[in-house]
Amino acid sequence: MLHKTWRRVAIATAGVLALSLTTACSEDPGESKDLSENRAGAMANYGVGDQFKATEALSFSTLYNNHTFYPLKEDWLFWSELTKRTNVKIEPVAVPLSDYEQKRSLLIGAGDAPLIIPKTYHPQENAFVSSGAVLPVSDYLDLMPNLKDKIAKWNLKPEIDNLRQSDGKFYLLPGMHEKPTQDYTVLVRTDIMQELNLAVPKTWDDLYTVLKAMKAKYPNVYPYSDLFSKPNPTGALLNILGSAHGTQAGWDYQHATWDPAAKKFNYTGASEQYRQMVTFLHKLVAEGLLDPESFTQTDDQARQKLANGKSFVVTGNAQTLVNNHRPDLAKTLPNAKMAKIPLPIGPAGEVNPFPRLENGIMISAKARESKNFVAMMQFIDWLWYSDAGLEFARWGIEGTTFTKDASGKRTLNPGVDFLGLNPKAPKHLQKDFGFQNGVFAYGGSPDLVRGFFSPEELEFQKVMDARPPRVVPPPAPLTDEEREQVSLWETPLKDFVTQNTLKFALGQRPLTEWDAYVAELKAKNSEQYIDVVNKAYERFQKNNG
């Protein structure tokens, strides 16, 4: 699993909730379906399961999110093998991870964006729809048989419809999972739990009890000292704590949350569920169980506290556990043990909150005029959505980076490491070969996604698989005029919610002022915002029965 900050964090700051519109069983044919002049290099008969190979050598510019953990290398096997298989060369326009969103917006705004724009998190694409800068990709799904096949086989239509705009079209090709694979949870020093004879906590209240016992034994320690304070304070903790309370917070913050009982959307930051979450967070801080510096410290500072025995619990995932915390502890506290625990259950009950859609691809509108447009869409369909392309992007080349037995089970070659599977191997799947690259590898079936998982991680997923997935909210697509209006309210509202969440948690503002805070939100147009969203929902219901 890949680092959260480049997997889903942008959702929280992306803008208005833009949900689905299901206007018909088939796609709108679009305003321009004559592609007779745009088929250069395309395969004449390309279908599900076919190996795409352009009939002439092609190259497509692609915005590339350059990750610090595996910086781009021109000699990666990924590049050469991709060209060998598809006759296509990707021309990466590399942008540092820290500047990706800003650079993407600048390039699109200036008309200089590459043709293929990956690593886009819905609803970020909304900002580029009204200008016509990105393509309504739903018009061209007939060019993408593997994508259409997986939508049908995996019953993803409700999720896909959530991408639609008020025109009934969608502008983002998402990464798609057959099943949710929750990764982020609470990581705990299990040796401390054993020392104190504590059971693995099943609920957030259980975790509170564990933290209290740790604090009683080690009064000079903040048991929980968290990472990921940027760009949202404790974005990861609030993300999982929010989902446990039936709301959206931290990295997942959206202005509108669906209330199935009332059959309407509520303003998230003013909801009763959000208040309960903030109250619990405040309790952790007030009782010295959560380090108040969690909201401001750097990741390195949090890692050092954990490594030096000044904390015992953090929020994280399989990669941070294996690549960061266990190696850190091995150097300083060699007898320490740390593990992921199943996501604690909260007032919302058992739920697997991970969505089946993740970041996806925008296509620059200028690509439609290219003589190679059809070939480009076929190429994207093969690399990001075919079984062979998904396997290639994640696992690499059979016989070189992995092997496959008669049952189809994949095994990473012993000379290659990923997620600590072969820690002494001389090569790394991402760093040395370019596979499992977050620009190209996301989505897939459980056997593909989880094939790298250790037995303990598979056990974690087994527990999460037994929980029902989160409910997909109903459609409430906004018109361009509505989106323009709410965009004026979003940033002030989001900043105010973030600031006051922090104040309430740290005790800088008493919880008795919650009603006053809600009134202040209303003064910043929170009610007008929700009125727009609910009217959009009602309009959809009226127009679509």
Side-chain angles (χ1 to χ4, degrees), residues 51-65:
Q51 170 62 54
F52 169 78
K53 190 159 190 176
T55 58
E56 60 184 74
L58 301 176
S59 62
F60 301 123
S61 58
T62 303
L63 196 61
Y64 182 86
N65 188 354

Side-chain angles (χ1 to χ4, degrees), residues 358-394:
E358 56 175 315
N359 72 95
I361 305 161
M362 294 187 295
I363 305 297
S364 174
K366 63 187 177 184
R368 177 62 182 80
E369 305 307 316
S370 168
K371 66 178 182 178
N372 305 126
F373 174 69
V374 173
M376 187 187 78
M377 298 303 284
Q378 291 176 345
F379 167 74
I380 292 171
D381 180 67
W382 180 83
L383 179 56
W384 275 277
Y385 298 104
S386 75
D387 291 344
L390 287 165
E391 179 183 78
F392 169 73
R394 282 195 182 275

